[in-house]
């Protein structure tokens, strides 16, 4: 059987690429080694983590906000098994949705591990060890990423876990140590803190959420501490030892020779990043080049150095985000169909689904300073927003950064309830090269949290009204 396109990996990058290519008239097959489609995102990433984040947030609300809203209930209890069942049901609903879309778009599915034999040929190895070869005009590699291990610390996915194990713990631990104050550490750390665990986050850097705007990072750290999470910044975990049923975690300063301290924990979550996954793809044999960080090298048309072989998503450079992978999947399919696919890397939002949420698009203040770009900054707190007060979600702020000369919006950073939804009006504005005056003069419905976005924009060229 010969195809126009074979996509290896059916995560958000791969499945979107396959569907788009089929919509554009190509004969398409996918190769996936997992039994279900959707990749890291749908099976062990975005979707299951959001199911647990939502459930634990509801628990937290019922425990702490209901009374203030005039709702009397008996004290809610966590049914952890039922919460996990909710998560599993959500995964199932999403992965079967991809099966449906593949059928609808007449995409052939080859279940097995794909290996590139050369341009035009992909070997598929199934569980019993037998192999077959699929012929194709083009190959898109979308094999994603895997957990970054912490040297010397073995992950057993029971007591020392990666995000995968942390999504299916047998019970809510009494004490959880999280290594890494990045997106995974703070999202999953928040889940367990809300459910009653004592959570300590050990972070190498002197700030949390490293690449985010420093203002956001500072204020968000204060909020998380208020929620009961503990932090050991500028520190690293150097050993984890079993002590009976518990674990002893050795923590050392990130730099210098100061003495090590220890933490007791029931579970340790290692969340220090992810690395591109290219194992077993046969890339060295075919001569596909990798960069210094093991990512597949591509040009800006997602083409590798070997004709007919392309790569997208977590396995190439750029932020490891599902929507970045999806957009690249659609773009490469369009290019293969002779159209002008394009991804604007200046406008890729990042959202941390904690409570409150953190959302960001474009440049941070630190990046603008480093680039020597003169900018104006406007900020507006949710404590001055009527809707936020009505919902008891007054924590956080919106910050708009605009070019000092042209007024073009260069970055928007939000900490607050619903930030992950609100950020998109900034994305659309920035795609059209809009100015902060455009944003500040756009009529926003009242009362909405989004009015804080309008007021922050207004603060860059005039005075906000409600502050
Ligand atoms: P993947 O989703 O990793 O898919 C790759 C697929 O390729 C897998 O199914 C794998 O089995 C398959 N594969 C690999 N090698 C082979 C082979 N040789 N043959 C056949 N199949 C193969 N991002 C967000 O944007 N928002 C979030 O909220 C978010 N939450 C996350 C939470 C967690 C806990 C984690 C771990 C990640 C999260 N991410 C989130 C990141 C997101 O999951 C990834 O950026 C996204 O899944 C990358 O998509 P991809 O298609 O490149 O690769
Ligand atoms: P990350 O890169 O976000 O954070 C890792 C953190 O670990 C960094 O702050 C780093 O300084 C720290 N660190 C590294 N080595 C350390 C050490 N030895 N000791 C202590 N700290 C150390 O990586 P994370 O959280 O693992 O997430 C992986 C990827 O998954 C990210 O790229 C992210 O984009 C994606 N993701 C996205 C989500 C979202 O969009 N909401 C949710 C979860 C994951």
């Amino acid at each position: 059987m010969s195809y126009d396109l074979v996509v290896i990996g059916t995560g958000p990058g791969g499945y979107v690429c396959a569907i788009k290519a089929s919509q554009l008239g190509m004969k398409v097959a996918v190769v996936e080694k997992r039994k279900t489609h959707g990749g890291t995102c749908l099976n062990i990433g975005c979707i299951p983590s959001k199911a647990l984040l939502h459930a634990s947030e509801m628990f937290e609300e019922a425990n702490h906000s209901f009374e203030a809203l005039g709702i009397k209930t008996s004290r809610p209890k966590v049914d952890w098994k039922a919460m996990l069942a909710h998560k599993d049901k959500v995964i199932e609903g999403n992965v079967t949705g991809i099966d449906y879309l593949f059928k609808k778009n007449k995409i052939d599915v080859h279940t097995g591990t794909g290996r590139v034999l050369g341009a035009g040929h992909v070997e598929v190895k199934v569980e019993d060890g037998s192999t077959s070869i699929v012929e194709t005009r083009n190959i898109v590699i979308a094999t994603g990423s895997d957990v970054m291990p912490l040297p010397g610390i073995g992950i057993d996915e029971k007591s020392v876990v990666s995000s995968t194990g942390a999504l299916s713990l047998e019970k809510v631990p009494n004490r959880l140590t999280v290594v890494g104050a990045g997106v995974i550490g703070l999202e999953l750390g928040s889940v367990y803190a809300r459910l009653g665990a004592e959570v300590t986050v050990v972070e190498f850097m002197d700030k949390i959420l490293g690449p985010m705007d420093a203002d956001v990072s500072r204020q968000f750290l204060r909020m998380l501490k208020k929620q009961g999470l503990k932090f050991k910044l500028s520190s690293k975990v150097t050993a984890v030892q079993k002590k009976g049923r518990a674990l002893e975690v050795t923590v050392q300063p990130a730099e210098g020779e100061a003495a090590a301290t220890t933490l007791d924990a029931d579970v340790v979550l290692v969340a220090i990043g992810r690395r591109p996954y290219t194992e077993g793809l046969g890339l060295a044999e075919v001569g596909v080049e990798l960069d210094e960080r093991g990512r597949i090298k591509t040009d800006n048309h997602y083409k590798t150095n070997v004709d007919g072989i392309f790569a997208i998503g977590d396995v190439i450079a750029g932020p490891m985000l599902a929507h970045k992978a999806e957009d690249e999947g659609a773009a490469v399919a369009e290019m293969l169909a002779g159209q002008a696919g394009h991804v604007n890397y200046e406008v890729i939002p990042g959202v941390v689904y904690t409570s409150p949420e953190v959302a960001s698009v474009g440049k941070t203040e630190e990046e603008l300073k480093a680039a020597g770009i003169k900018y104006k900054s406007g900020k507006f707190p949710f404590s001055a927003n009527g809707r936020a007060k009505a919902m008891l979600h007054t924590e956080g702020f919106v910050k708009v950064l605009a070019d000092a000369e042209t007024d073009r919006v260069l970055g928007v950073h939000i900490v607050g309830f619903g930030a992950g939804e609100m950020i998109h009006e900034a994305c659309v504005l920035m795609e059209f090269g809009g100015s902060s005056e455009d944003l500040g003069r756009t009529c926003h419905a009242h009362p909405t949290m989004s009015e804080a976005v309008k007021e922050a924009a207004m603060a860059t060229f005039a005075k906000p009204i409600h502050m």
Side-chain angles (χ1 to χ4, degrees):
M1 175 71 86
S2 185
Y3 294 97
D4 295 315
L5 173 65
V6 167
V7 183
I8 308 178
T10 58
Y15 84 71
V16 168
C17 177
I19 292 170
K20 189 75 183 175
S22 169
Q23 287 173 347
L24 294 173
M26 283 179 244
K27 186 163 174 50
V28 182
V30 292
V31 181
E32 171 57 56
K33 62 179 184 161
R34 202 188 289 270
K35 288 198 172 68
T36 52
H37 300 296
T40 303
C41 181
L42 271 57
N43 291 280
I44 50 165
C46 326
I47 296 298
S49 60
K50 267 77 251 178
L52 292 183
L53 277 156
H54 179 72
S56 60
E57 200 175 325
M58 292 300 98
F59 174 69
E60 174 77 16
E61 289 249 313
N63 243 329
H64 293 110
S65 304
F66 275 17
E67 214 165 292
L69 293 168
I71 306 165
K72 278 206 182 301
T73 55
S74 52
R75 235 179 132 65
K77 283 193 197 133
V78 174
D79 180 344
W80 179 235
K81 284 216 161 68
M83 218 177 258
L84 289 180
H86 158 67
K87 175 212 61 170
D88 291 336
K89 207 170 154 197
V90 172
I91 296 174
E92 203 198 331
N94 278 276
V95 299
T96 51
I98 308 293
D99 290 335
Y100 162 78
L101 290 173
F102 281 165
K103 274 197 195 101
K104 184 178 165 202
N105 288 284
K106 299 187 173 42
I107 293 164
D108 286 351
V109 172
H110 297 266
T111 303
T113 302
R115 188 161 73 97
V116 182
L117 300 178
H121 294 90
V122 175
E123 178 197 78
V124 183
K125 189 173 192 174
V126 296
E127 245 174 16
D128 67 9
S130 62
T131 60
S132 59
I133 293 171
V134 187
E135 283 181 20
T136 175
R137 279 173 56 201
N138 292 299
I139 298 168
V140 169
I141 300 171
T143 49
S145 61
D146 197 8
V147 174
M148 179 96 77
L150 186 53
I153 291 160
I155 290 175
D156 61 14
E157 298 295 13
K158 292 261 178 250
S159 55
V160 182
V161 297
S162 70
S163 53
T164 306
L167 291 167
S168 300
L169 291 181
E170 270 168 29
K171 57 179 188 163
V172 175
N174 291 326
R175 297 157 304 178
L176 171 70
T177 297
V178 177
V179 193
V183 203
I184 292 180
L186 299 183
E187 285 189 355
L188 293 178
S190 292
V191 166
Y192 288 105
R194 289 172 197 156
L195 300 179
E198 187 182 297
V199 176
T200 307
V201 185
V202 181
E203 165 58 47
F204 196 81
M205 291 168 70
D206 60 359
K207 61 185 287 212
I208 64 170
L209 290 180
M212 287 271 181
D213 190 275
D215 205 2
V216 167
S217 160
R218 250 189 327 269
Q219 299 220 26
F220 188 51
L221 176 64
R222 276 203 285 275
M223 291 173 193
L224 290 176
K225 281 184 177 169
K226 228 170 86 189
Q227 292 174 20
L229 281 88
K230 295 191 178 117
F231 288 86
K232 283 186 173 291
L233 301 182
S234 305
S235 303
K236 61 184 176 191
V237 167
T238 49
V240 177
Q241 277 189 315
K242 278 224 149 87
K243 283 267 160 93
R245 283 193 180 173
L247 299 167
E248 187 182 80
V249 183
T250 307
V251 181
Q252 278 190 321
E255 281 172 34
E257 297 300 315
T261 53
T262 57
L263 286 170
D264 294 324
D266 303 298
V267 172
V268 173
L269 163 60
V270 177
I272 60 164
R274 293 178 64 81
R275 57 182 183 184
Y277 187 79
T278 54
E279 222 174 280
L281 271 175
L283 299 184
E285 292 86 328
V286 179
V288 171
E289 282 179 25
L290 305 183
D291 69 12
E292 69 296 341
R293 288 165 66 181
R295 302 172 297 197
I296 297 178
K297 260 193 196 171
T298 63
D299 64 12
N300 53 14
H301 288 79
Y302 310 105
K303 198 168 150 326
T304 69
N305 59 311
V306 177
D307 277 350
I309 304 181
F310 301 78
I312 54 166
D314 278 12
V315 80
I316 69 167
M320 287 183 166
L321 294 172
H323 41 286
K324 177 259 193 191
E326 287 185 42
D327 285 8
E328 288 177 346
V332 76
E334 286 171 335
M335 288 174 194
L336 289 172
Q339 299 183 355
H342 177 69
V343 178
N344 179 3
Y345 291 96
E346 298 298 313
V347 186
I348 294 190
V351 178
V352 190
Y353 298 84
T354 41
S355 175
E357 288 180 350
V358 181
S360 167
V361 63
K363 300 277 187 256
T364 63
E365 273 201 73
E366 295 67 44
E367 285 170 335
L368 293 175
K369 278 182 192 148
I373 297 169
K374 290 206 171 64
Y375 64 92
K376 306 175 286 180
S377 171
K379 205 166 160 182
F380 191 83
F382 286 109
S383 56
N385 174 279
R387 183 72 183 279
K389 284 184 193 163
M391 296 193 300
L392 303 181
H393 284 301
T394 52
E395 275 193 311
F397 61 87
V398 181
K399 182 159 111 176
V400 173
L401 303 170
D403 190 288
E405 278 170 30
T406 64
D407 197 33
R408 187 180 176 138
V409 172
L410 302 173
V412 175
H413 307 279
I414 311 176
V415 188
F417 181 79
E421 301 294 338
M422 278 182 277
I423 197 71
H424 295 104
E425 68 167 305
C427 297
V428 173
L429 180 97
M430 288 171 70
E431 275 291 346
F432 284 87
S435 67
S436 66
E437 195 165 344
D438 288 330
L439 190 51
R441 290 187 188 278
T442 299
C443 185
H444 282 61
H446 176 74
T448 56
M449 298 286 284
S450 300
E451 285 172 290
V453 178
K454 173 187 164 104
E455 297 248 24
M458 233 190 251
T460 65
F461 64 91
K463 285 186 178 161
I465 300 294
H466 295 93
M467 203 174 71

